[in-house]
Amino acid sequence: MKSHGGTIKDISEFLSSKGIKPSYQRVKILERMYKMKDHPTVNDIYKDLIDEIPSLSKTTVYNTLNIFIENAIVKSFSMDGNEARYDILSNIHGHFFCLECNKIYDFEINEPQIYDNLLEGAEIFESEISVRGICKACKNKKS
Amino acid sequence: MKSHGGTIKDISEFLSSKGIKPSYQRVKILERMYKMKDHPTVNDIYKDLIDEIPSLSKTTVYNTLNIFIENAIVKSFSMDGNEARYDILSNIHGHFFCLECNKIYDFEINEPQIYDNLLEGAEIFESEISVRGICKACKNKKS
DNA sequence: TTCTCTGCAAACGCTTTGCACGGAT
DNA sequence: ATCCGTGCAAAGCGTTTGCAGAGAA
């Protein structure tokens, strides 16, 4: 996020600027997403916040994430057709899923214009590039 | 598919060569996938075959597709986190989903080595590139 | 008060599992 | 007789919906 520093106050103002009322739950969920730059599932977020917000329900996590998606703050994707994962909208990058350690790595795409030739005339709203395999670290460990 | 012509006999032999018993259901499901090169859901396949195979159950469609996936004949992907879609494994291509007409178009990726710089040292098993937007035809219609 | 957010419980839709029947070898 | 594919019914699981109570303005 370029427009704020990541404090509670910053995030609250950021949400307000988007027309989203900065409730405690919403701020905490977004704060968590900025802090840990993983690609959490709803359950990940729920587990990370339930100690701090004992009354939290998964419904609220779902609702909040859907609001964030509608307002182009986060995007959702799926690595395996299973649960959805959520990612802060930022520069174009792909997701690499390591089948060995189950981690998801971001990788940069240095040619954002890769689609230009392929889909000329079309209007592109969003894209998702995901790759599955074995990451460098795991590969070295095995050999 | 390079190795056969698409007749029932061809498909049966193809399945046998993979160690998969070419039952009527399996052959018909695979035949349908080669004939219509769309990106069907389980339900699409079921509806297309239920007249010809009145006893067909969705469970069998699921089972069969999973066998095909295990044997690297088809792959599954998801356009919207909803139902899974299935695609015959072929050359690398991306999927473009038009939000206007809801069609899915394939597009070629003329740089299969696009990942080389990005993920060097990693071993890539499979990848999926999906793009959402408005296709050329729909865009022209609107303007 | 009024409006919106929250969160429980239930519904929903896709997919998998358990299991028994039936066909093939 | 044995093995395996099929398909019904039920379970499973992630997600959404209905709704009532709580909280903010």
Side-chain angles (χ1 to χ4, degrees), chain A residues 21 23 25-26 55-57 59-60:
Chain A
K21 198 182 292 181
S23 74
Q25 287 84 340
R26 288 171 181 172
S55 68
L56 184 65
S57 83
T59 302
T60 298

Side-chain angles (χ1 to χ4, degrees), chain B residues 39-112:
Chain B
H39 306 78
T41 64
V42 162
N43 209 43
D44 291 335
I45 296 172
Y46 177 79
K47 285 188 303 181
D48 287 341
L49 294 179
I50 190 62
D51 284 340
E52 201 167 354
I53 317 173
S55 69
L56 184 67
S57 85
K58 285 182 188 176
T59 302
T60 298
V61 180
Y62 278 108
N63 289 340
T64 301
L65 289 169
N66 285 335
I67 290 172
F68 290 168
I69 289 172
E70 284 160 23
N71 287 273
I73 298 170
V74 312
K75 67 177 273 191
S76 79
F77 66 101
S78 167
M79 222 44 233
D80 45 13
N82 232 351
E83 332 137 74
R85 294 184 172 275
Y86 299 85
D87 199 13
I88 302 241
L89 261 186
S90 59
N91 57 320
I92 299 177
H93 64 269
H95 295 121
F96 178 89
F97 180 76
C98 177
L99 298 161
E100 197 77 19
C101 62
N102 285 341
K103 280 206 204 94
I104 297 178
Y105 300 90
D106 289 350
F107 62 87
E108 296 304 315
I109 295 176
N110 28 26
E111 298 155 87

Side-chain angles (χ1 to χ4, degrees), chain A residues 100 134-143, chain B residues 123 125:
Chain A
E100 197 77 19
I134 297 184
C135 73
K136 201 176 182 176
C138 286
K139 225 184 150 192
N140 290 340
K141 228 177 285 171
K142 292 175 85 178
S143 58
Chain B
E123 187 176 357
F125 290 158

Side-chain angles (χ1 to χ4, degrees), chain A residues 9 52 82-83 100 109 131 134:
Chain A
K9 182 157 167 294
E52 202 166 354
N82 233 349
E83 330 135 78
E100 197 77 19
I109 295 176
V131 180
I134 297 184

Side-chain angles (χ1 to χ4, degrees), chain A residues 55-72:
Chain A
S55 68
L56 184 65
S57 83
K58 285 183 188 175
T59 302
T60 298
V61 180
Y62 278 109
N63 289 340
T64 301
L65 289 169
N66 285 336
I67 290 172
F68 291 168
I69 289 172
E70 282 159 25
N71 287 273

